[in-house]
Amino acid sequence: MKHLIDIKNLTTDDINQILARAGEFEKGIRKSNHINAHVATMFFENSTRTKMSFEMAINKLNARKYDFCAQTSSLNKGEDLYDTINNLSAIGINAVILRDSSDTLIKELSEKKYYEPISFINAGSGIAAHPTQALLDFYTMKKHFFDLANRVIVIVGDIAHSRVARSNIELLKRTGAKIRCLAPEYFVGEKIEGVEYYTDLKIAFEEADIIMALRIQKERIQEHVNFEDYIKNYQITRENLPYAAFLMHPGPINRGIEIESEVLEMQNAKTILTQARNGVFIRMAILDMLLSAQGL
Ligand code: CP
């Protein structure tokens, strides 16, 4: 593994190794020291969980962290992003964690030549992929259920604009889980093979083991959305949440839209902060593997 761009580039062995290492970091039985590694975070879209947990992971691995600030950088003088990163490579940056609104930019950047080897880690690319989120979600689900084969997993909400949904589906398809997507027509987007689509919440939630709510991506939606209609038919409430279902959400949550506020106090929703916590261990594992592969 040289980069982490998309779940579809990972072998089953890569995924198992990431999960195993994350488990060792969580238990405190793996201690890695990457004192000679220099890692830059480049976030061109807002973030709380991904950015802070990557920063925590870098610190815990004893690597050096550099927060690239686009506003004060020479990108504002018209420098090309490839030239910027090539200069970071020459300065001594070994890995770049990138979040951007483009579906394809990180892949294109990772295929170019640099002054020194540099690893790219996708921290969210457009609506295409959010592989570290899918891996931390998978880690969280597996810790609870161990085997996801035949488990019913319902992904609810703005599937059309969700990189989280796309990466999770890519990963869950390998497990034998029964993947259901529940969304109104205006949030379905392009249908994905191997997924069952529902428009009726009651039917979709039947026998659900896991319900994964998605944020409505207001910043990516061009057309008018009838939020009242969405809340009436798709909001997760105390009444419609199955008693034993495990409730997940990648965050940030639009309280009172995707999920009724009171539901967040229920036992079912405790998972949501566990997802955020597990993000640190997964990101430590990924950085540990990529930096070790560079001999750092
Ligand atoms: N889940 C997620 O990507 O959250 P942030 O946008 O806060 O990083």
Side-chain angles (χ1 to χ4, degrees):
M1 221 171 94
K2 188 163 183 264
H3 309 288
L4 176 61
I5 307 297
D6 202 315
I7 294 294
K8 54 178 165 258
N9 308 130
L10 296 177
T11 64
T12 303
D13 188 48
D14 291 331
I15 294 168
N16 290 340
Q17 259 202 68
I18 293 168
L19 264 54
R21 266 183 214 219
E24 288 168 10
F25 282 124
E26 183 174 10
K27 290 190 191 109
I29 56 177
R30 178 180 279 270
K31 305 270 182 231
S32 293
N33 189 342
H34 295 282
I35 188 93
N36 295 317
H38 301 271
V39 181
T41 52
M42 299 182 95
F43 278 67
F44 299 114
E45 281 191 338
N46 295 350
S47 170
T48 296
R49 280 145 290 272
T50 311
K51 186 164 188 287
M52 295 302 286
S53 57
F54 263 119
E55 290 188 0
M56 178 70 76
I58 295 165
N59 287 333
K60 286 191 168 198
L61 293 171
N62 211 16
R64 310 299 172 90
K65 175 175 72 64
Y66 302 82
D67 187 18
F68 179 85
C69 177
Q71 282 77 23
T72 58
S73 77
S74 291
L75 286 174
N76 264 349
K77 299 181 201 163
E79 189 174 36
D80 184 270
L81 184 58
Y82 164 68
D83 291 327
T84 300
I85 296 175
N86 206 14
N87 276 270
L88 296 187
S89 167
I91 289 166
I93 294 294
N94 310 113
V96 164
I97 298 163
L98 182 77
R99 170 172 287 194
D100 185 77
S101 60
S102 162
D103 290 358
T104 54
L105 178 69
I106 189 162
K107 182 171 183 292
E108 289 156 16
L109 287 169
S110 71
E111 288 165 353
K112 292 182 186 285
K113 285 234 171 321
Y114 293 90
Y115 187 90
E116 292 285 348
I118 192 159
S119 293
F120 284 88
I121 303 168
N122 187 350
S125 52
I127 63 164
H130 195 349
T132 63
Q133 180 70 45
L135 287 160
L136 75 89
D137 289 342
F138 189 45
Y139 179 79
T140 307
M141 288 185 251
K142 271 183 74 76
K143 276 194 72 172
H144 190 81
F145 291 100
F146 184 66
D147 185 3
L148 298 183
N150 293 316
R151 292 286 178 189
V152 175
I153 303 174
V154 188
I155 304 177
V156 190
D158 182 6
I159 319 272
H161 305 98
S162 177
R163 55 195 177 204
V164 173
R166 259 171 273 290
S167 286
N168 261 289
I169 291 168
E170 188 72 43
L171 188 41
L172 290 171
K173 272 164 67 171
R174 303 188 189 197
T175 66
K178 294 179 180 163
I179 311 166
R180 297 179 181 171
C181 280
L182 166 67
E185 290 299 338
Y186 50 87
F187 278 160
V188 172
E190 204 173 309
K191 290 194 172 169
I192 301 169
E193 214 185 303
V195 174
E196 290 180 350
Y197 286 85
Y198 293 76
T199 50
D200 187 309
L201 181 143
K202 252 195 183 152
I203 300 173
F205 279 9
E206 274 171 17
E207 299 174 345
D209 293 298
I210 298 169
I211 293 171
M212 184 184 291
L214 301 171
R215 180 173 71 88
I216 296 182
Q217 312 258 314
K218 291 176 190 160
E219 71 278 22
R220 299 187 210 282
I221 299 173
Q222 314 288 335
E223 61 278 16
H224 170 75
V225 171
N226 183 344
F227 282 98
E228 274 177 29
D229 170 76
Y230 184 85
I231 290 168
K232 184 165 160 255
N233 294 301
Y234 296 97
Q235 185 185 70
I236 297 167
T237 65
R238 284 163 292 177
E239 282 73 40
N240 65 32
L241 179 64
Y243 172 74
F246 200 60
L247 180 61
M248 302 177 76
H249 193 302
I253 297 171
N254 293 309
R255 266 185 189 259
I257 297 183
E258 298 103 38
I259 303 179
E260 186 185 38
S261 214
E262 290 78 0
V263 169
L264 296 169
E265 308 309 320
M266 292 169 68
Q267 189 60 32
N268 312 55
K270 297 280 177 258
T271 330
I272 296 171
L273 288 178
T274 309
Q275 287 172 265
R277 180 174 187 275
N278 289 341
V280 177
F281 309 123
I282 284 291
R283 289 168 178 134
M284 285 175 80
I286 291 160
L287 282 166
D288 189 38
M289 287 165 68
L290 293 174
L291 296 173
S292 299
Q294 285 195 43
L296 296 165

